[in-house]
Amino acid sequence: MKEYQVVLQDKSQEKEVQNPIVSFWENANCFTDFCSPWKSDPFSKIEFRAFWDLENFFFNFRVFDTQIYIDQKDDSFDSIGNSDRVELFFRSNESLDPYYCLEMDTAGRLMDFRARPNKEFDFDWKWPKTDFEIKTSKDEISFTVEGRISIKSLEELNLIHNNTIEAGVFRAKFLENENREYEPTWISWVNPNTETPNFHIASSFGKFILME
């Protein structure tokens, strides 16, 4: 399995640094080795970073794309599911029974749900609001989606084993086709080796190693 080392940041540094979160991102490991196995078209560079501080897991997607598509008909999950977004999945075991999905668009809308094998989705389930935060931003060349997840909630959901979190990291990019309809390009950190796009499968996950 692919592995990514999540750097531990010393919270005592927060008093010494004017903007500790920015400083911590600079020290976090970065990976950009995403793939789109089902399409040969090029896609925009994606940078993913994460760190933790014993109490929270922080994540940051920076996507070098300014042509963003958002379905704005409403704030439903259908609308989010038809928009450019980034995604984090966490599984408690290799059987995916259960796993948890966080899909976040550039407007800061969240589609969070619990799932089981064969795409059995429970959209009534929600990540506890006090244990999750998200914010988004844009600049001239990119957009950023970043957030915080409490370690307590990850532990309560049985998602940390021996300082390891098994996770999927994904992006959906929508482009207009010749019929003036928007269709997605699916992008993944781990190549799941499936004939058709599918993130909801054990082979799409890698490991986040919480360093000490």
Side-chain angles (χ1 to χ4, degrees):
M1 292 177 71
K2 260 189 175 180
E3 293 187 357
Y4 168 73
Q5 294 187 344
V6 181
V7 174
L8 175 65
Q9 304 287 6
D10 185 356
K11 289 191 71 174
S12 66
Q13 297 176 18
E14 293 183 7
K15 296 179 181 179
E16 303 171 11
V17 181
Q18 185 174 6
N19 192 336
I21 295 296
V22 171
S23 175
F24 289 166
W25 287 135
E26 292 174 351
N27 294 326
N29 293 320
C30 173
F31 68 72
T32 61
D33 54 335
F34 288 84
C35 62
S36 182
W38 310 282
K39 280 191 177 181
S40 58
D41 301 338
F43 58 87
S44 302
K45 180 182 178 182
I46 305 165
E47 294 180 347
F48 180 85
R49 292 176 171 84
F51 68 86
W52 74 304
D53 64 1
L54 299 181
E55 294 180 0
N56 293 288
F57 170 85
F58 299 89
F59 63 89
N60 179 298
F61 291 84
R62 187 181 183 192
V63 182
F64 290 81
D65 182 7
T66 57
Q67 302 299 312
I68 300 165
Y69 176 69
I70 300 178
D71 183 333
Q72 296 181 315
K73 64 178 181 291
D74 53 39
D75 287 331
S76 67
F77 280 6
D78 282 344
S79 180
I80 299 171
N82 289 321
S83 300
D84 283 9
R85 62 190 186 279
V86 295
E87 306 178 1
L88 279 176
F89 290 6
F90 302 107
R91 71 184 191 189
S92 55
N93 52 60
E94 191 174 359
S95 68
L96 303 182
D97 193 14
Y99 62 107
Y100 300 87
C101 306
L102 299 168
E103 305 193 10
M104 303 156 280
D105 72 10
T106 61
R109 299 181 302 180
L110 170 67
M111 176 163 53
D112 52 341
F113 57 96
R114 179 172 54 197
R116 287 190 157 81
N118 301 314
K119 298 185 179 181
E120 181 186 323
F121 301 152
D122 177 5
F123 290 110
D124 291 328
W125 183 90
K126 303 293 181 191
W127 204 285
K129 288 188 179 297
T130 56
D131 294 306
F132 181 87
E133 292 181 85
I134 180 179
K135 66 178 181 178
T136 63
S137 59
K138 300 175 187 176
D139 58 27
E140 295 82 2
I141 59 172
S142 67
F143 70 83
T144 298
V145 178
E146 59 185 296
R148 174 194 67 84
I149 304 171
S150 76
I151 295 297
K152 175 177 69 71
S153 66
L154 291 166
E155 291 175 336
E156 288 174 348
L157 294 171
N158 195 32
L159 296 174
I160 303 179
H161 303 272
N162 298 318
N163 270 29
T164 299
I165 302 171
E166 296 190 1
V169 188
F170 314 109
R171 182 191 178 205
K173 170 60 183 175
F174 281 78
L175 292 170
E176 191 174 13
N177 61 25
E178 61 274 11
N179 298 321
R180 302 187 66 83
E181 297 173 340
Y182 282 86
E183 59 182 23
T185 295
W186 300 104
I187 301 164
S188 177
W189 173 41
V190 176
N191 184 347
N193 293 306
T194 57
E195 290 187 11
T196 57
N198 188 0
F199 297 159
H200 299 269
I201 190 169
S203 57
S204 71
F205 285 72
K207 290 183 178 180
F208 290 170
I209 311 298
L210 302 177
M211 305 302 292
E212 293 186 334

